[in-house]
Amino acid sequence: MGYLVLARKYRPQTFDDLVGQEHIAKTLTNALEAKRLAHAYVFSGPRGCGKTTTARILAKALNCVKGPTASPCGECPQCRDIAAGSSTDDVLEIDGASNRGIDQIRELRDTVKYAPARSRYRVIIIDEAHQISKDGFNALLKTLEEPPPHVVFMMATTEAQKIPETILSRCQRFQVRAIAPADIVGRLKHILTKENI
């Protein structure tokens, strides 16, 4: 493989790697260890603080061959595919801005009826979920109320207040914090050391 941008190369791959989000990492780790998982999650917070990354790590934790586990192996096909962003139909990562209408949500709703092909869970990660239309959210509501046991929804948003309360009330919510400057400096030092810079 050729040159990989540092932001992608050092994107957190485990809960231990999440910088500045220890409260979320600990809660999700405890839930995985206790096998008390929600069927839907909302990760909200400012841009660039790790919402989608956290969702991907949770997807790996759920679908790792050793899982569900708080420490995904990173080596099995499911972990590698999710980390590379080339996940199969079992882990769908969609953009809420492009798939915001009722027809796209109905299609998604039809997709989740089927069991995952080679994973434990069918995970749906909706990025910028606040951009889904009102009718789209209404179409999603029934599935969130009575989801198939093999489906986990994860929504990432910078504007949680735009997501209807009917949706939020059926999800476990996490506020992803802006990363403190000291944590950023520490992470940059770690990366520079690894890169021999």
Side-chain angles (χ1 to χ4, degrees):
M1 180 188 220
Y3 176 74
L4 187 61
V5 176
L6 294 180
R8 289 186 56 206
K9 185 175 181 179
Y10 291 100
R11 186 175 198 158
Q13 298 298 322
T14 66
F15 290 119
D16 291 337
D17 288 343
L18 283 176
V19 176
Q21 310 305 336
E22 291 78 13
H23 62 294
I24 295 173
K26 184 66 174 167
T27 303
L28 290 174
T29 297
N30 289 343
L32 286 158
E33 289 171 354
K35 307 232 183 300
R36 295 180 58 100
L37 300 164
H39 66 279
Y41 297 87
V42 172
F43 299 101
S44 61
R47 283 179 174 73
C49 60
K51 299 177 297 295
T52 305
T53 295
T54 303
R56 285 182 181 175
I57 293 170
L58 181 55
K60 283 198 318 187
L62 292 171
N63 282 334
C64 178
V65 294
K66 296 180 180 178
T69 176
S71 303
C73 70
E75 301 298 324
C76 67
Q78 286 85 340
C79 284
R80 285 197 313 266
D81 288 349
I82 294 167
S86 61
S87 49
T88 64
D89 289 340
D90 293 346
V91 179
L92 296 174
E93 194 169 327
I94 62 173
D95 176 30
S98 305
N99 298 282
R100 60 188 313 267
I102 190 168
D103 292 332
Q104 291 92 355
I105 299 300
R106 282 182 178 154
E107 185 179 315
L108 177 65
R109 197 177 59 192
D110 292 340
T111 300
V112 301
K113 291 177 186 175
Y114 301 104
R118 63 183 183 117
S119 301
R120 195 172 292 101
Y121 291 96
R122 184 175 292 270
V123 178
I124 311 298
I125 300 172
I126 305 174
D127 208 5
E128 297 302 328
H130 62 272
Q131 295 195 33
I132 295 174
S133 69
K134 180 181 177 188
D135 290 336
F137 276 125
N138 286 338
L140 185 61
L141 183 59
K142 182 67 172 169
T143 304
L144 280 179
E145 286 177 333
E146 299 172 11
H150 59 266
V151 176
V152 177
F153 285 93
M154 300 179 201
M155 292 177 259
T157 179
T158 53
E159 300 181 51
Q161 74 278 4
K162 290 187 177 178
I163 296 178
E165 280 298 322
T166 52
I167 298 290
L168 291 175
S169 66
R170 287 154 177 85
C171 302
Q172 185 171 359
R173 295 175 63 181
F174 290 98
Q175 181 65 39
V176 185
R177 300 176 186 148
I179 303 169
D183 291 336
I184 294 172
V185 169
R187 185 66 176 172
L188 286 173
K189 285 181 179 177
H190 168 77
I191 292 169
L192 293 172
T193 301
K194 288 267 205 180
E195 292 292 313
N196 295 317
I197 297 172

